[in-house]
Amino acid sequence: MKLDLQEIETYLRVVELGGVSRAAEDLALSKSVVSKRLSDLEQRLGAKLLHRSTRRVAPTDSGMAFYTQAKEALFNLGEAAEAAAFNDSGLRGRLHVLAPMSFGTLWLAPLIAEFMHQHSQLEISLHLEDRISDFEREGYDLCVRISRIGDSALIARKLASSARILCASPDYLQRHGAPETVEALRGHECIGYSNVSSRQFWSFESTDERGELANIAPRGRFSSNNGEVMREVVLAGLGLALLPSFLVHHHLKAGSLIEVLPHARPKPYSIYAMYPRSSRASRKVAALCDFLQQRLFEPPWEQH
């Protein structure tokens, strides 16, 4: 049986994206071309691969079995091609990377640029987005996430830690005074992070002898789903915010932001590189993870 690689790759994207239209957009093809490739593949195999409806498509039992084995086979084929190319000319091919907006802009993008200088035949597409997405289904090879995603299908490699700092502007503290306890935060304007699915809590561990945990639900007039926006609102004197040190370390050193409640210790963030366990790490993914771990072993935003 002679199979067509384009038909198989198209089928995989249709399954992963859940529809012909989304796959056509992703592959930059017309819907008619995608549909014909699917029909031709089913005819070659002599099997029905997809249940089709007006809203979406879903694999049949046979289609799901074919998807799983075909994806593994294409991964192995890609690994073989990478290994052959690497022996002659180093890393090559394309990597699709997903990362949070602020961390990606400030810290990840320069590191990826450095990595690409070292591997001149490698292509990287970096997509920045703060929402938690099904990155494997959306075609990403690697995602960088702040705080680990509880998914056993993913392999996580820790890249760095980032302390969280409760901070405010000197102007805000002059007008409203500095809170002396966690409980006193209830009387202050707290800038909230809106990119969470449930009610947000700020958790602190006291550094006194008791070492008790304290929790508070921040309340205020402003919230945002982006840390840089929150930082700018804090700089403008509109309230306090709990922000990662990689966003505010320069401002703390310059004095444009001041740490509040330094005797309370928020739990730090952990920054992970993650990839699907089912597909293992390709040579490109492993090389990028190794590079990021080396560069972030001593986080530059924690250095004084």
Side-chain angles (χ1 to χ4, degrees), residues 184-236:
L185 290 173
R186 299 183 189 280
H188 285 265
E189 281 287 326
C190 297
I191 309 301
Y193 181 57
S194 59
N195 197 28
V196 289
S197 58
S198 58
R199 190 179 185 189
Q200 184 182 13
F201 285 91
W202 290 353
S203 297
F204 300 86
E205 184 177 356
S206 174
T207 57
D208 61 22
E209 294 180 355
R210 293 178 298 174
E212 293 179 351
L213 286 171
N215 297 297
I216 185 171
R219 291 180 294 181
R221 295 185 298 142
F222 184 85
S223 64
S224 175
N225 67 342
N226 181 266
E228 289 178 277
V229 171
M230 294 169 63
R231 182 190 63 198
E232 294 307 305
V233 171
V234 175
L235 286 166

Side-chain angles (χ1 to χ4, degrees), residues 4 13 15 18 41 50 56 61 83 139 141 145 229 259 263 278:
D4 185 292
R13 292 309 288 149
V15 173
L41 179 60
L50 294 168
R56 67 186 304 272
D61 290 343
D141 303 294
R145 278 291 170 240
V229 171
E259 183 176 5
H263 60 279
S278 58

